């Protein structure tokens, strides 16, 4: 009726308010006026029903004659559903997989008590919508994030990082819809900077991208579960990844600020050194750079550039911001003659080039339609760079002792987003 | 045990409501009874009280054939009334 221009008020009983509201919300009108009388009216003396009518007539008149303001957040009043799950923790795993809540690893039950513990003081704002997540435009409320954090085994101390990471991936420049639904193997790599990393034990040291660090594991995992469950990207359904990669369970590390010869990523991006941030990159798995021999910056960059210059990378034709994670010893070698991080990026960008005759004719034809400036009507010995400009390279320092670094190609059509962590 | 669902709430697009008249004077008030017990009593009483607070209000009622089915007379109602009262559930 409203859609046809006829103002309407719905009468109902208080016991069925949630149903009336859900129906109105489903039709895109959560602000449709609903006037309630005490439940029940069925099986009640008609005189009693008329008395209840008398009590609401002012409200009904207002509903018909005063424009109701649309709610600022249409889903803010809609909380998570409470459902019955098996008590047995092993049975819960099968049940959670059937419900498509799980990533395959064991989940912990998101009971209201556990979720409230994760929310802590934020429980008062549990329905606040922090972001809307593609592909299904799911509302990432604080509550929804806390529920997924509880599933992942995260604690209240991890929630601020999870919330900031969700803000980062929801930025339109991150292109979450594509990252979530592409066939390409990408997922947000979360890079934490600032003092919170030390406080929470988010590792940027030995095996930082591997196992053995609870904070890294549960933060990355919680964000992944939010993407799957709130964003609505179920593997094999909306998430169309051909193979995916292991980082889709969890992909989170800290930058090793203490041993880096250069300002850390968040300072490079304009945040105070004392602040904490999380940066999300839509990233492939890490590709290792083994160089135990080089003692000069130029020599070491040859190994990094050789690892980066691969023909199967999205970055080659979609550009974007490929990432280099330098092990601390490699970083020291690169800085040993005074190179700044900007200098490292400039030199590396110069070196990462691929001759067009290394691509098939069909691929070149395809790339030419996507990026004609770089690929159309070029001679066979022309070279393309890894990305459009040196500044597009993201360089961080992480890891423990050893002579390894990592090249991390990205989805390409995504920008890395840095968001401050609010505790 | 009872657990909270981690699945997101997917919002529908927010649609505007119909513009409201300043008063009910001279308007056609429709009543759509959802055929739940006593809904007619409640709706008609509210309609009569609304009519008593304005001048020249006419009331016309329709009854849905069953509460769980969509109303089939939507087009007729939309073209016959200026404002509508209806009921949801019990």
């Amino acid at each position: 009726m409203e859609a046809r221009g006829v103002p309407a008020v719905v009468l109902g009983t208080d016991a069925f308010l949630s149903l009336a509201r859900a129906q109105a919300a489903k039709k895109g009108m959560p602000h449709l006026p609903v006037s309630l009388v005490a439940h029940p009216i069925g099986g009640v003396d008609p005189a009693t029903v008329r008395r209840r009518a008398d009590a609401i007539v002012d409200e009904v008149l207002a509903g018909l004659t005063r424009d109701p303001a649309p709610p600022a957040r249409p889903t803010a009043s809609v909380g998570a559903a409470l459902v019955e799950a098996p008590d047995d923790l092993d049975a819960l795993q099968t049940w959670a997989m059937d419900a498509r809540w799980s990533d395959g690893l064991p989940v912990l039950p998101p009971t209201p008590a556990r979720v409230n513990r994760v929310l802590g003081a934020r429980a008062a704002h549990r329905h606040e919508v922090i972001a809307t997540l593609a592909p299904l435009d799911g509302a990432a409320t604080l509550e929804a994030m806390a529920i997924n954090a509880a599933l992942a085994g995260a604690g209240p101390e991890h929630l601020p990082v999870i919330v900031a990471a969700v803000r980062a991936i929801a930025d339109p420049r991150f292109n979450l819809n594509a990252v979530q639904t592409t066939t390409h193997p990408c997922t947000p790599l979360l890079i934490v900077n600032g003092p919170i990393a030390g406080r929470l034990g988010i590792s940027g040291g030995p095996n930082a991208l591997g196992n053995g660090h609870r904070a890294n594991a549960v933060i990355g995992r919680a964000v992944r579960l939010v993407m799957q469950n709130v964003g609505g990207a179920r593997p094999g359904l909306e998430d169309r990844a051909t193979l995916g990669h292991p980082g889709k369970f969890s992909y989170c590390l800290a930058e090793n600020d203490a041993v880096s010869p250069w300002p850390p990523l968040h300072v490079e991006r304009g945040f105070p050194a004392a602040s904490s941030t999380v940066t999300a990159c839509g990233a492939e798995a890490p590709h290792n750079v083994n160089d135990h021999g080089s003692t000069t910056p130029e020599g070491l960059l040859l190994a990094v550039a050789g690892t980066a210059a691969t023909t199967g990378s999205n970055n080659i034709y979609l550009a974007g911001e490929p990432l280099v994670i330098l092990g601390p010893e490699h970083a020291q070698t690169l800085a040993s003659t005074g190179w700044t991080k900007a200098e490292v990026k400039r030199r590396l960008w110069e070196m990462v080039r691929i001759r067009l005759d290394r691509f098939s004719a069909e691929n070149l034809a395809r790339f030419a339609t996507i990026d004609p400036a770089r690929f159309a009507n070029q001679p066979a010995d022309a070279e393309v760079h890894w990305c459009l400009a040196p500044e597009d390279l993201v360089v961080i320092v992480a890891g423990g002792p050893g002579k390894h670094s990592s090249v991390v190609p990205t989805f390409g059509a995504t920008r890395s987003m840095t968001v401050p962590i609010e505790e | 045990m009872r657990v909270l669902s981690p699945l997101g709430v997917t919002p529908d697009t927010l649609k505007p409501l119909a513009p409201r008249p300043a008063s009910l004077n001279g308007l056609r008030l429709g009543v759509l009874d959802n055929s739940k017990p006593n809904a007619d009593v409640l709706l008609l009483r509210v309609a009569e009280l609304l009519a008593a607070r304005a001048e020249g209000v006419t009331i016309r009622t329709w009854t849905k054939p069953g509460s769980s089915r969509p109303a089939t007379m939507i087009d007729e109602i939309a073209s016959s009334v200026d404002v509508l009262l209806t009921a949801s559930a019990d």
Side-chain angles (χ1 to χ4, degrees):
Chain A
M1 280 298 139
E2 291 280 350
R4 292 160 191 251
V6 178
V9 170
V10 178
L11 307 190
T13 63
D14 48 14
F16 287 84
L17 171 65
S18 58
L19 179 59
R21 280 267 167 251
Q23 285 170 340
K26 208 166 67 184
K27 300 214 180 276
M29 297 180 181
H31 49 319
L32 182 70
V34 177
S35 286
L36 300 176
V37 294
H39 186 78
I41 58 169
V44 172
D45 168 32
T48 305
V49 175
R50 279 192 284 273
R51 275 200 303 279
R52 291 183 191 164
D54 296 358
I56 60 168
V57 65
D58 288 332
E59 190 187 312
V60 175
L61 182 61
L64 288 172
T65 57
R66 243 181 261 155
D67 283 332
R73 296 188 182 95
T75 58
S77 62
V78 184
L82 202 55
V83 296
E84 192 64 36
D87 288 326
D88 178 75
L89 279 182
D90 290 308
L92 176 71
Q93 305 314 318
T94 313
W95 183 89
M97 280 309 295
D98 289 344
R100 302 207 68 126
W101 290 7
S102 174
D103 54 9
L105 292 173
V107 292
L108 293 178
T111 60
R114 293 190 64 246
V115 171
N116 280 336
R117 194 178 71 83
V118 172
L119 279 167
R122 290 178 175 80
H125 310 288
R126 62 196 307 144
H127 299 309
E128 186 183 338
V129 179
I130 300 299
T132 300
L133 300 181
L136 298 188
D137 288 347
T141 59
L142 286 172
E143 177 183 70
M145 288 185 270
I147 295 167
N148 283 283
L151 265 183
E157 69 275 26
H158 304 122
L159 189 61
V161 187
I162 294 163
V163 169
V166 168
R167 285 188 201 275
I169 64 172
D171 188 299
R173 291 166 287 182
F174 184 79
N175 198 8
L176 181 63
N177 191 59
V179 169
Q180 288 260 63
T181 59
T182 178
T183 52
H184 178 261
C186 59
T187 193
L189 168 59
L190 306 177
I191 304 164
V192 179
N193 278 102
I196 198 171
R199 273 207 307 284
L200 300 188
I202 304 169
S203 177
N207 206 38
L209 281 176
N211 52 334
H213 314 289
R214 181 185 173 218
N216 302 44
V218 297
I219 291 168
R221 188 184 186 203
V223 171
R224 275 301 318 176
L225 288 172
V226 168
M227 291 170 66
Q228 171 184 300
N229 292 331
V230 178
R234 295 168 296 175
L237 294 174
E238 298 85 5
D239 175 346
R240 301 304 312 166
T242 304
L243 280 164
H245 74 73
K248 291 177 83 169
F249 283 104
S250 181
Y251 206 13
C252 173
L253 86 171
E255 183 163 14
N256 198 338
D257 303 12
V259 299
S260 174
W262 305 299
L265 181 63
H266 68 312
V267 173
E268 202 183 342
R269 294 188 168 193
F271 294 92
S275 70
S276 295
T277 65
V278 61
T279 301
C281 311
E284 284 186 13
H287 302 210
N288 194 52
V289 184
N290 174 340
D291 188 335
H292 283 74
S294 301
T295 53
T296 64
E298 292 85 352
L300 178 56
L301 274 194
L302 267 179
V304 178
T307 306
T310 60
T311 53
S313 163
N314 276 32
N315 293 117
I316 287 297
Y317 69 98
L318 292 175
E321 301 171 309
L323 178 71
V324 179
I325 304 174
L326 294 168
E329 292 180 23
H330 280 174
Q332 292 301 335
T333 299
L334 291 177
S336 60
T337 59
W339 289 0
T340 61
K341 197 194 282 186
E343 179 73 4
V344 170
K345 290 183 185 184
R346 193 186 62 74
R347 288 174 178 265
L348 183 60
W349 185 80
E350 253 327 300
M351 291 168 75
V352 183
R353 290 192 246 182
I354 303 178
R355 274 171 57 113
L356 293 187
D357 57 10
R358 289 184 60 204
F359 299 95
S360 72
E362 300 93 317
N363 268 335
L364 282 179
R366 175 168 177 258
F367 298 165
T369 61
I370 294 167
D371 188 348
R374 291 197 300 152
F375 291 96
N377 308 313
Q378 300 289 334
D381 61 350
E383 294 175 321
V384 284
H385 287 278
W386 192 14
C387 58
L388 296 182
E391 305 78 54
D392 287 340
L393 293 177
V394 178
V395 175
I396 65 167
V397 177
K403 302 289 184 188
H404 299 274
S405 291
S406 263
V407 165
V408 187
T410 70
F411 173 58
T414 176
R415 304 301 290 192
S416 61
M417 289 295 134
T418 302
V419 168
I421 297 166
E422 294 164 13
E423 286 187 270
Chain B
M1 82 185 105
R2 305 268 274 174
V3 296
L4 287 161
S5 166
L7 302 181
V9 177
T10 305
D12 286 302
T13 312
L14 202 57
K15 292 179 191 155
L17 298 184
R20 263 55 185 163
S23 82
L24 299 184
N25 288 341
L27 297 187
R28 300 166 295 172
L29 171 61
V31 174
L32 175 58
D33 173 9
N34 70 345
S35 73
K36 285 280 187 175
N38 272 340
D40 54 345
V41 176
L42 178 70
L43 286 162
L44 278 174
R45 178 64 175 173
V46 173
E48 285 164 14
L49 292 169
L50 289 172
R53 297 195 179 199
E55 291 178 9
V57 175
T58 58
I59 298 173
R60 185 171 164 193
T61 65
W62 286 264
T63 302
K64 277 174 69 179
S67 54
S68 59
R69 296 197 188 93
T72 52
M73 62 289 282
I74 292 291
D75 288 330
E76 184 193 332
I77 299 171
S79 59
S80 312
V81 305
D82 300 301
V83 292
L84 181 75
L85 280 185
T86 188
S88 167
D90 286 339

